[in-house]
Amino acid sequence: MISFVYFILFIIFLYKCYFNATSKARKSLPPSPAKLPVIGNLHQLGLFPHRSLNELSELYGPLMMLHFGSVPALIVSSADAVRERVKNQDLIFSNKPNLSIMHKIVYGCKDIAFAPYGDHWRHVRSIAVLQLLSNERVRSYRHIREEETSLMIEKIRNLSSSSTSLINLSKLLLSLTNDIISRVVLGRKYGGEGSENFEFMLKEIGELLVAFNPGDYDPWLKWINRVNGLNARLEKVAKSFDEFLTRVVEEHRSRKQGKTDRDGSSNEVDSVDILLEIQRENSSSSPIETDTIKALIFNMFGAGTNTT
């Protein structure tokens, strides 16, 4: 009987310790609206998440904790709070969320945008800043921007003179962006007439980038992606885009070795040429994998030419 009493007292002691610890942890966290089981605060985002977050921040302050499924998220909605995190505590908040869709499309997140903070991210960032996007490099592509802009203006002039219907400027401007990025990054244009499969592939990528993925919020909800077809779409577009990028890289390698002509490409050095040259020059000291090259191409080209 005495041992049973001691056991009950021990259980009460453990419960009190746990309750005090969790209470202290809750007190140290930012304020948070009440959450529902499984989905957390997802139901409070609504059709316009930016408006919902603004309304919640007015109630709970510039620092607010929300739970998207089982994933906690710190919502920062004031300039001072943002400055504190990006300048004074940048190392703590420097990592990106591990999104399964991006992990599949961007070769295990070997790019710049979604790579975890560390040596690899610093390496590819230095390549982008010093080699691909330096002031001198950007200025060297000025004539491409001017040529493509002139072509667009000429197209508008022809359309306005031959037709009385409205001209879709949004489509023309998007086409202009696609053509400039294609020439700068890949060496030639891949959009336009006869490229429906290519444009459909980019459209699919754009839609998948913003698709709601339940598995990112609760791991046990991953099975939903097999039912709603998200996994099948992801596998198909990732395979198609990888085949396209592999073909582009191999074409550039062959041209460098003098095995093939440029197939309508200019003789200018594009981003793929630069990345392959870096790969050759740093094969032993700081090697860069082919998958990393393709991931960087995606950052500069695939995301930039979103046709959604």
Side-chain angles (χ1 to χ4, degrees), residues 237-267:
V237 74
K239 183 175 182 295
S240 298
F241 201 61
D242 177 63
E243 291 174 351
F244 167 74
L245 293 179
T246 300
R247 186 166 64 252
V248 167
V249 170
E250 292 305 317
E251 286 175 357
H252 279 70
R253 281 181 175 150
S254 297
R255 287 198 296 266
K256 185 67 176 178
Q257 297 169 1
K259 294 180 181 179
T260 63
D261 296 328
R262 294 191 67 91
D263 296 329
S265 307
S266 67
N267 292 320

Side-chain angles (χ1 to χ4, degrees), residues 15-31:
Y15 174 78
K16 292 285 287 183
C17 290
Y18 173 78
F19 180 80
N20 289 335
T22 54
S23 297
K24 290 179 181 179
R26 289 194 189 99
K27 288 180 181 178
S28 64
L29 292 175

Side-chain angles (χ1 to χ4, degrees), residues 4 21 27 36 58 72 198 210 221 269 291 300:
F4 178 74
K27 288 180 181 178
L36 295 177
E58 291 178 354
F198 175 72
V210 297
L221 294 176
V269 175
D291 281 354
M300 300 183 66

Side-chain angles (χ1 to χ4, degrees), residues 9 36 75 83 137 150 184 194 242-243 290 304:
L9 291 175
L36 295 177
I75 310 300
R83 189 179 299 110
R137 187 74 64 186
S150 298
V184 168
D242 177 63
E243 291 174 351
T290 300

Side-chain angles (χ1 to χ4, degrees), residues 83-101:
R83 189 179 299 110
E84 172 67 21
R85 270 132 195 87
V86 300
K87 294 188 67 175
N88 301 332
Q89 302 184 36
D90 56 319
L91 290 180
I92 299 175
F93 295 93
S94 59
N95 254 334
K96 295 93 175 176
N98 185 16
L99 304 177
S100 56
I101 290 178

